[in-house]
């Protein structure tokens, strides 16, 4: 394994098989390698933003096995918010200091394009400086297909409606066989990548997620990361990579073995090593737990997402995120873990460094 360690230390790129071999390194060696890269870029700074997640509808035409959020046999409570409701949530979030609204919905065949896009327009008209991060590539694909639009046309409409950046959702796992098993019928891997490619071509930025800890193998995770790395080489438009730990409650994806804390931390560290061209690695505390997200800072993660305020997708599947976290608590958790909390905006400009 010494050859592999030296290759990482000398900053050379690793490919599929080497990425898989990284998992065989012991946790602390991986942590040291990933931390050296992280600290070389950001020192002890850890980024977060003050944001509000809004999930305006849970009515969905797709049936992803892992999803506990969409209205279904296990969650028979369909809802669709009015624009007034969405706007009043955004107003309240802004009043409390949010710089970003992160808006992700299900694929609601009844709602219509104007309902989706009109909400962004209304928020932007009322609060031009509130960053609207909205529409996963899965939603973009759904709206394009159901309205007879090309992806380019859909992206034009998003920009006209005030969408500033795209979240990283809907990526799940790119391997086609696993994807077919966990979310058949949803946006394909190629389509997901193409939508982000086109979005970046318009000079816009986005994130990329990976849902792991279910039926995928380590090789599938490495393949997922490398497909993202290839696109990032082309476009440079991804800000952050976000590994999402699978939450198991109230859904239809039965899983025998869940990843250990060690496996989760290794996955963060490997992402930091392999994704040398995606600047930020986000430990999304909602799915990793707060404790592990704090620890992940020692394994390559430099971002903890944000205060969130309210979250409905992962909390429906068991995550303890329904009510977000207070800003003071967030800052003191990062600080007590030995890092320097830095409030950032959605595009990673530093807004406030909590020194000392
Ligand atoms: O794509 C659904 C995931 C994602 C479960 O871009 C689940 O900054 C775990 O994309 N267990 C949506 N995850 C959330 C998302 C996101 C979150 C935080 C930050 C950003 C960003 C994006 O939620 C979906 C899906 O992969 N998800 N069900 C579940 N049971």
């Amino acid at each position: 394994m010494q050859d592999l360690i030296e290759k990482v230390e000398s900053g050379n790129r690793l490919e599929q098989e080497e990425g898989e071999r990284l998992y065989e390194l012991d946790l602390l060696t991986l942590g040291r390698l990933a931390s050296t890269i992280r600290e070389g870029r950001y020192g002890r700074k850890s980024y977060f933003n003050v944001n509000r997640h809004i999930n305006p509808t849970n009515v969905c035409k797709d049936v992803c096995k892992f999803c506990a959020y969409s209205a279904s046999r296990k969650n028979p409570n369909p809802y669709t918010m009015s624009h007034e409701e969405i706007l009043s949530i955004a107003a309240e979030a802004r009043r409390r200091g949010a710089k970003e609204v992160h808006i992700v919905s299900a694929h609601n065949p009844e709602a219509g394009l104007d309902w989706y896009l009109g909400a962004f327009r209304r928020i932007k008209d009322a609060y031009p400086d509130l960053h609207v991060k909205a529409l996963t590539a899965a939603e973009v694909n759904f709206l394009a297909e159901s309205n007879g639009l090309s992806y380019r046309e859909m992206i034009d409409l998003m920009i006209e409606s005030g969408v500033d950046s795209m979240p990283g959702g809907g990526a799940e796992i790119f391997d086609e066989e696993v994807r077919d098993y966990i979310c058949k019928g949803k946006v394909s891997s190629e389509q997901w990548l193409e939508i982000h490619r086109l979005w970046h071509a318009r000079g816009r930025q986005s994130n990329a997620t990976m849902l792991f800890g279910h039926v995928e193998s380590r090789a599938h995770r490495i393949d997922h990361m490398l497909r993202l790395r290839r696109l990032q080489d082309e476009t440079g438009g991804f800000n952050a990579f976000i590994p999402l730990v699978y939450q198991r409650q109230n859904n239809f994806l039965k899983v025998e073995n869940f990843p250990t804390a060690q496996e989760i931390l290794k996955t963060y560290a490997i992402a930091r090593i392999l994704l040398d061209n995606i600047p930020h690695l986000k430990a999304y505390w909602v799915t990793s737990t707060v404790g592990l997200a704090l620890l992940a800072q020692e394994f390559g993660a430099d971002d903890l997402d944000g205060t969130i305020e309210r979250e409905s997708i992962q909390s429906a599947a068991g995550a303890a995120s329904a009510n977000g976290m207070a800003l003071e608590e967030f800052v003191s958790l990062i600080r007590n873990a030995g890092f320097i909390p830095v409030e950032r905006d959605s595009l990673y400009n530093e807004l406030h460094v909590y020194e000392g």
Side-chain angles (χ1 to χ4, degrees), residues 27-205:
L27 181 62
L28 295 183
T29 302
L30 265 180
R32 180 180 58 74
L33 293 171
S35 267
T36 305
I37 301 171
R38 178 221 197 277
E39 299 217 353
R41 291 193 188 179
Y42 309 112
R44 299 295 285 177
K45 285 181 176 173
S46 266
Y47 297 95
F48 71 94
N49 73 351
V50 181
N51 63 351
R52 171 64 148 96
H53 282 220
I54 309 178
N55 305 120
T57 180
N58 68 349
V59 176
C60 199
K61 73 153 192 59
D62 286 307
V63 197
C64 299
K65 287 197 174 88
F66 54 78
C67 184
Y69 165 65
S70 74
S72 71
R73 275 180 287 144
K74 293 207 177 181
N75 173 24
N77 297 304
Y79 70 82
T80 302
M81 293 178 187
S82 66
H83 281 176
E84 283 64 36
E85 279 174 276
I86 299 169
L87 192 63
S88 81
I89 294 171
E92 174 60 13
R94 201 187 124 96
R95 201 185 56 73
R96 301 217 271 157
K99 314 285 189 306
E100 169 190 290
V101 279
H102 175 157
I103 307 176
V104 170
S105 283
H107 310 154
N108 186 336
E110 311 282 292
L113 190 59
D114 291 343
W115 176 83
Y116 277 87
L117 297 178
F120 312 139
R121 184 71 275 152
R122 290 192 61 173
I123 292 174
K124 214 59 197 174
D125 285 347
Y127 310 109
D129 59 346
L130 190 60
H131 183 102
V132 175
K133 180 165 84 180
L135 292 182
T136 66
E139 290 172 273
V140 174
N141 175 64
F142 158 69
L143 290 172
E145 276 183 359
S146 51
N147 291 283
L149 298 168
S150 68
Y151 292 152
R152 277 200 178 80
E153 288 167 328
M154 193 50 219
I155 284 171
D156 285 343
L157 291 174
M158 287 161 67
I159 292 173
E160 276 166 34
S161 308
V163 176
D164 293 300
S165 70
M166 276 178 65
E172 323 310 0
I173 278 282
F174 289 144
D175 176 82
E176 280 70 15
E177 212 175 307
V178 176
R179 199 171 182 85
D180 240 31
Y181 179 69
I182 65 173
C183 56
K184 197 176 173 62
K186 198 162 88 166
V187 65
S188 72
S189 308
E190 278 311 309
Q191 289 168 328
W192 191 98
L193 291 163
E194 178 62 9
I195 290 165
H196 283 263
R197 180 181 286 113
L198 294 170
W199 180 252
H200 297 167
R202 297 294 305 272
R204 302 285 168 142
Q205 296 173 24

